[in-house]
Amino acid sequence: MLLGNADQTLMFVCFSYVQSACKIFKAAEECRLDRDEEKAYVLYMKYLTVYDLIKKRPDFKQQQDFFLSMLGPTSFKKAIEEAEKLSESLKLRSLYAARICNTVEKGNINSDYTNKRVS
């Protein structure tokens, strides 16, 4: 099937979005493996945002199987699962840090502990 110029342009734009989404997902995976939770979380969320934009495009609907095969069969599900795990982990870290700060502010930590230098 031959496509007109307008259809080719739309396909190219969607193709560019798909390529960007794949790069974002790969970067998120690398950050997760490097244990950079904050960056991984932000990248997974960016991936999900771009994925949502792609799915709303009219050219995606015309070539859905093609674009989904490029995005990968499991990457959307994995991005959601990892973002949820990271969100919980980041919330717990934030609560823990807040408790430490609150304890230090109230002076409930041994002065020897607070006066030690970090090397």
Side-chain angles (χ1 to χ4, degrees), residues 64-118:
Q64 188 170 350
D65 291 337
F66 171 71
F67 289 119
L68 286 175
S69 70
M70 288 180 60
L71 287 164
T74 60
S75 52
F76 179 75
K77 183 179 177 184
K78 181 162 183 158
I80 289 175
E81 290 170 353
E82 293 299 336
E84 287 174 349
K85 287 180 200 173
L86 290 167
S87 176
E88 286 302 311
S89 177
L90 292 169
K91 284 178 191 175
L92 289 173
R93 282 178 42 194
S94 178
L95 289 172
Y96 180 73
R99 282 187 184 161
I100 298 266
C101 289
N102 192 23
T103 303
V104 169
E105 286 174 1
K106 289 182 178 179
N108 292 337
I109 286 190
N110 183 334
S111 61
D112 290 339
Y113 176 76
T114 58
N115 290 330
K116 286 184 181 177
R117 291 186 179 187
V118 177

Side-chain angles (χ1 to χ4, degrees), residues 24-96:
I24 293 167
F25 183 81
K26 182 180 177 189
E29 288 285 275
E30 289 172 0
C31 289
R32 181 183 58 83
L33 293 173
D34 290 342
R35 298 183 181 204
D36 187 344
E37 291 185 334
E38 293 89 351
K39 192 170 182 180
Y41 176 78
V42 169
L43 289 169
Y44 281 124
M45 295 307 293
K46 282 184 180 184
Y47 170 81
L48 293 169
T49 301
V50 174
Y51 189 94
D52 191 47
L53 290 172
I54 292 167
K55 288 193 80 167
K56 290 179 180 177
R57 296 189 51 81
D59 44 330
F60 173 83
K61 293 170 185 160
Q62 293 172 357
Q63 300 287 326
Q64 188 170 350
D65 291 337
F66 171 71
F67 289 119
L68 286 175
S69 70
M70 288 180 60
L71 287 164
T74 60
S75 52
F76 179 75
K77 183 179 177 184
K78 181 162 183 158
I80 289 175
E81 290 170 353
E82 293 299 336
E84 287 174 349
K85 287 180 200 173
L86 290 167
S87 176
E88 286 302 311
S89 177
L90 292 169
K91 284 178 191 175
L92 289 173
R93 282 178 42 194
S94 178
L95 289 172
Y96 180 73

